Amino acid sequence: MSDLRIGTDGVARCAWVGDDPEYMRYHDEEWGRALHGDRALFEKMALEGFQAGLSWITILRKRPRFREVFHGFDPAVVAGYGASDVARLMMDAGIIRNRAKILATISNAQLVTEMEPGALDALMWSFAPTEKRRRPASFADVPATTGDSDAMSKALRKAGFRFVGSTTMYALMQSAGMVDDHLTGCHRADG
């Protein structure tokens, strides 16, 4: 039970959520639910890339500002960003001001716009496991990477995408519902 936490609402959740109301909402309403669409997955890829080296709650708290300054993560808009946009983003304390991650987001948007509509979604979901896995009993049972996340990372890097390492892609797979790592006993666990 130490890897589960009973919230003030009496609901058992994965303990990484803690007591933060926004984290609880994210866990209950988003994390592990199937997410589809090129734009939605581009946003998820960008935010997971910005998260590298930081905590997800930091990104989650900054997500509204990220969405605002990156024009809703519309790949067609972000792909057209130039030097003045990079400078604008580097001055915005409401986001993570990391030049390499900003440039990667712009470059990744350009790659998405060169793909057929739906191709990013199809590519990413092609790495979702087809067989149901055993529900993890504890955090120790949750991997940082898998063969599927390694393969997704490799395919995306080969296509030119950046900040898409295997650990980052496994986190994306978890958050986008490609894998379900809600622990046994969590109210979101389906058995």
Side-chain angles (χ1 to χ4, degrees):
M1 277 297 277
S2 65
D3 288 345
L4 291 175
R5 183 180 189 101
I6 307 299
T8 56
D9 57 3
V11 174
R13 292 179 178 86
C14 302
W16 56 261
V17 173
D19 292 324
D20 185 280
E22 178 58 12
Y23 231 3
M24 289 191 302
R25 186 211 58 77
Y26 173 74
H27 171 273
D28 293 355
E29 298 174 13
E30 293 183 56
W31 193 75
R33 294 201 191 264
L35 179 68
H36 284 280
D38 292 345
R39 187 174 183 160
L41 289 169
F42 168 66
E43 174 182 338
K44 187 68 72 175
M45 179 193 303
L47 292 176
E48 292 289 356
F50 275 103
Q51 185 269 330
L54 303 170
S55 68
W56 182 248
I57 191 64
T58 299
I59 301 303
L60 196 57
R61 288 179 180 143
K62 291 178 178 282
R63 183 168 65 172
R65 184 64 182 161
F66 268 110
R67 286 176 169 165
E68 184 178 341
V69 300
F70 278 99
H71 294 90
F73 287 97
D74 182 338
V77 175
V78 177
Y81 283 6
S84 64
D85 295 294
V86 173
R88 167 182 61 84
L89 293 166
M90 287 298 295
M91 295 298 294
D92 196 317
I95 66 167
I96 306 302
R97 296 178 289 181
N98 179 302
R99 182 175 298 279
K101 292 176 181 182
I102 291 169
L103 293 173
T105 301
I106 296 166
S107 174
N108 290 348
Q110 292 165 347
L111 293 169
V112 173
T113 63
E114 294 168 5
M115 301 170 84
E116 292 292 321
L120 180 64
D121 183 290
L123 174 64
M124 293 181 123
W125 276 90
S126 73
F127 296 100
T130 55
E131 293 183 15
K132 187 173 174 105
R133 294 185 308 145
R134 190 173 152 177
R135 170 113 5 241
S138 70
F139 290 139
D141 297 331
V142 178
T145 64
T146 63
D148 294 320
S149 69
D150 292 345
M152 178 191 283
S153 173
K154 183 177 179 180
L156 289 168
R157 283 193 323 261
K158 183 176 180 181
F161 288 92
R162 300 184 343 218
F163 280 92
V164 292
S166 185
T167 301
T168 300
M169 290 303 93
Y170 191 71
L172 182 147
M173 293 175 85
Q174 290 173 306
S175 65
M178 295 174 194
V179 296
D180 182 358
D181 282 336
H182 286 283
L183 302 179
T184 301
C186 172
H187 82 100
R188 285 283 317 280
D190 61 0

